[in-house]
Amino acid sequence: MDFSKDLALALEMANIADKISLERFYAQDLVVESKPDSSPVTDADRSVEAALKLVLQEQRPDDSLIGEEYGTVGENLHGKGSRTWIIDPIDGTANFMRGVPVWATLIALAVDGKPVLSVVSAPAMGRRWWAAPGVGAHTKHIDGREVPIHVSKINNLENASLSYNNLKLWDQVGQLDQLIELSRKIWRTRAFGDFWSYMLLAEGTLEITAEHDLKIYDIAALVPIVEQAGGTISDLDGDLTTQSSSVLATNGILHRTVAEHFRHPNIKN
């Protein structure tokens, strides 16, 4: 299938999102509320998603949409022939509201339930990443250079770098000890967090990233970029599905070793 027109649309939606979100970043009158799950939401989150929803209604009226703030529009989300756009208007809302520039709009298109193309746009960082079949994975640097990206070829834990997010969540699911034990086997650990960990993985800057308590709109846009860059992304407990909430991504070479570490902690890697 040719996804060139869909990718062009996703990139244009990212331009629209960037303009809206940047205008509200550092805004003194930013409206912040708490959602039922206690996570924060700002007026920027809602404005970005509303704008992208309108674009899709005009440009892809037969496609479905899953958005973080306004829910699902359309039917046949994962059946044969389905096309579903999955949007997180601002991934890293806590960073956004605190003035930390590490946040991004995540846009993905899933076909038959599988994310196939995506754009991750982080305007406050001056960065953007995208991927699609036949195109591969690419990034745009702050100086405007557009280059293809690929995961690293590091094949041993001793030279690998790991990024994780929120130790409290690892403790809550009973895997904090496993995370710490893994950290003893590898070269370096950092908590870059959110989308950025996965983009660094796709660029070959680190080899492993894992986290808990995610939703489909947190995950979908990461999948094409990691996979098209040559990496592997899965659920920490097995295959990645639309219900997954825990994610493990690696450069592919180390995936089985790291997955076994978390699934069977008593096995010596």
Side-chain angles (χ1 to χ4, degrees):
M1 298 179 67
D2 182 3
F3 292 102
S4 58
K5 292 182 179 179
D6 292 313
L7 180 58
L9 177 60
L11 290 166
E12 180 55 34
M13 286 195 293
N15 291 339
I16 293 170
D18 287 356
K19 185 176 186 300
I20 295 170
S21 58
L22 275 177
E23 288 177 350
R24 300 302 294 154
F25 190 47
Y26 293 133
Q28 295 300 309
D29 62 343
L30 184 71
V31 177
V32 181
E33 300 175 1
S34 291
K35 294 190 285 189
D37 63 359
S38 298
S39 63
V41 59
T42 71
D43 61 275
D45 293 79
R46 290 175 173 146
S47 294
V48 168
E49 187 169 319
L52 301 190
K53 179 180 177 181
L54 181 60
V55 171
L56 289 172
Q57 287 174 336
E58 294 175 346
Q59 300 294 323
R60 297 292 188 274
D62 296 327
D63 293 354
S64 299
L65 167 65
I66 297 174
E68 179 177 8
E69 307 307 334
Y70 293 111
T72 300
V73 178
E75 300 177 353
N76 189 26
L77 296 177
H78 309 300
K80 185 176 181 179
S82 66
R83 286 171 48 95
T84 305
W85 295 85
I86 305 169
I87 294 173
D88 186 344
I90 297 180
D91 182 58
T93 297
N95 282 346
F96 184 92
M97 59 187 259
R98 294 294 298 271
V100 179
V102 184
W103 49 269
T105 295
L106 312 185
I107 302 168
L109 172 63
V111 177
D112 298 339
K114 167 69 175 177
V116 294
L117 73 80
S118 64
V119 176
V120 172
S121 192
M125 298 172 65
R127 298 295 308 275
R128 181 177 289 184
W129 300 261
W130 63 93
V135 174
H138 297 260
T139 190
K140 182 177 182 180
H141 289 282
I142 194 169
D143 61 4
R145 289 179 299 121
E146 297 183 4
V147 297
I149 55 177
H150 200 278
V151 296
S152 81
K153 298 185 183 300
I154 287 177
N155 60 7
N156 57 74
L157 290 178
E158 292 81 3
N159 292 322
S161 182
L162 161 73
S163 179
Y164 59 89
N165 194 30
N166 200 332
L167 291 177
K168 184 185 295 185
L169 293 174
W170 285 88
D171 196 22
Q172 289 175 353
V173 300
Q175 289 189 314
L176 181 57
D177 288 344
Q178 290 169 255
L179 181 66
I180 293 172
E181 179 60 26
L182 180 62
S183 76
R184 296 189 177 110
K185 300 177 181 180
I186 65 176
W187 170 56
R188 195 175 189 228
T189 58
R190 289 292 185 273
F192 295 105
D194 301 315
F195 72 94
W196 198 22
S197 294
Y198 301 87
M199 300 304 100
L200 290 172
L201 173 76
E203 291 178 353
T205 304
L206 55 86
E207 287 68 48
I208 307 162
T209 185
E211 58 183 320
H212 293 278
D213 196 31
L214 301 177
K215 304 291 191 300
I216 186 172
Y217 40 75
D218 299 308
I219 301 169
L222 310 175
V223 175
I225 295 172
V226 168
E227 292 184 340
Q228 289 291 329
T232 301
I233 184 166
S234 72
D235 192 302
L236 266 167
D237 295 321
D239 294 335
L240 196 65
T241 72
T242 56
Q243 304 304 313
S244 292
S245 62
S246 299
V247 170
L248 169 67
T250 73
N251 65 350
I253 302 170
L254 298 174
H255 202 84
R256 181 176 179 179
T257 297
V258 179
E260 287 295 318
H261 172 84
F262 285 114
R263 294 170 195 165
H264 307 288
N266 295 321
I267 292 179
K268 299 297 183 181
N269 293 316

